[in-house]
Amino acid sequence: MNEYLNAYLDKVDRYLKTMPASERADIINEIKSEMVELETQDQLTPGQIIERLGDPKELAGAYLGESISKSTAFSFKKLCSVVAFYSFAGAGSLFVLPITSVLGVGFMFSGILAPVAGLIKAFGYLIGMEVPWVSFQFGGYAPHPYLAFLFSVIVGILLFAAGWGSWKITVKFVRFITKNKFQKSAYN
């Protein structure tokens, strides 16, 4: 393969750094086979092939977006991919992706932390120890520690659900951007 095409593949690979090595290798092999097909069947020159594939950063961004949108499960590795994809997504997502992804992570973390704090407060009351750094209040009303634990579980569930919803919005937005990127590259 031409060194011009290899340099293009190297650039795409660098932009896909946040992905697992096996996924990156699959993507590079897919692009490489597309290049070979364009070269042999369509008789295109390396310059024409690269022109058809488009900017390596945008192509990598489209693959990152597709990878992110395949699964809605949350992971910190996926969060890093969202951050990397955000750099490719453009000015339209300047606020949407960071806000929804950070809110998703923050709410899910708080949803886990709230019941733990309520449990600490209830356990401290059970053994006769005051835990002043953990409190649960509604305005001026501070419920009994056992009731506070129940409230903290309910609030934790609500916070986690809000975080999960924010994460879903992030994934849907990434799918939307990816779909548009692939449609743009298909018309070139």
Side-chain angles (χ1 to χ4, degrees):
M1 187 176 289
N2 180 301
E3 72 179 67
Y4 189 51
L5 296 177
N6 282 329
Y8 181 89
L9 288 172
D10 288 340
K11 286 180 184 177
V12 172
D13 189 46
R14 274 183 294 200
Y15 289 126
L16 296 173
K17 265 191 251 181
T18 59
M19 295 179 78
S22 61
E23 284 184 51
R24 278 196 341 249
D26 290 344
I27 290 169
I28 296 302
N29 287 334
E30 182 180 325
I31 296 170
K32 193 181 288 189
S33 68
E34 176 71 19
M35 287 175 162
V36 169
E37 185 178 312
L38 289 171
E39 194 171 34
T40 57
Q41 290 180 358
D42 296 349
Q43 302 294 315
L44 297 179
T45 66
Q48 292 171 320
I49 292 170
I50 289 175
E51 185 178 319
R52 178 159 305 173
L53 291 174
D55 181 53
K57 187 174 183 178
E58 286 186 18
L59 183 62
Y63 276 105
L64 271 172
E66 182 184 17
S67 170
I68 292 165
S69 64
K70 280 182 185 175
S71 165
T72 59
F74 174 79
S75 72
F76 284 105
K77 192 169 229 178
K78 194 165 191 171
L79 178 64
C80 291
S81 293
V82 167
V83 170
F85 177 75
Y86 158 69
S87 69
F88 298 119
S93 60
L94 186 61
F95 298 105
V96 176
L97 282 176
I99 290 171
T100 58
S101 60
V102 169
L103 281 177
V105 172
F107 279 149
M108 283 191 282
F109 180 72
S110 298
I112 293 167
L113 194 59
V116 171
L119 183 64
I120 290 170
K121 184 73 168 182
F123 184 71
Y125 180 78
L126 181 68
I127 63 171
M129 188 173 108
E130 180 63 30
V131 185
W133 46 272
V134 176
S135 65
F136 196 90
Q137 286 186 281
F138 296 108
Y141 171 68
H144 188 276
Y146 295 143
L147 193 55
F149 172 65
L150 177 66
F151 288 146
S152 69
V153 169
I154 293 168
V155 168
I157 290 169
L158 293 173
L159 285 171
F160 194 85
W164 188 252
S166 292
W167 184 252
K168 291 276 197 179
I169 290 169
T170 302
V171 171
K172 284 184 181 189
F173 189 75
V174 167
R175 283 183 183 152
F176 172 75
I177 291 172
T178 303
K179 181 179 170 188
N180 288 344
K181 291 268 186 194
F182 278 131
Q183 285 176 348
K184 275 186 185 176
S185 64
Y187 294 122
N188 289 337

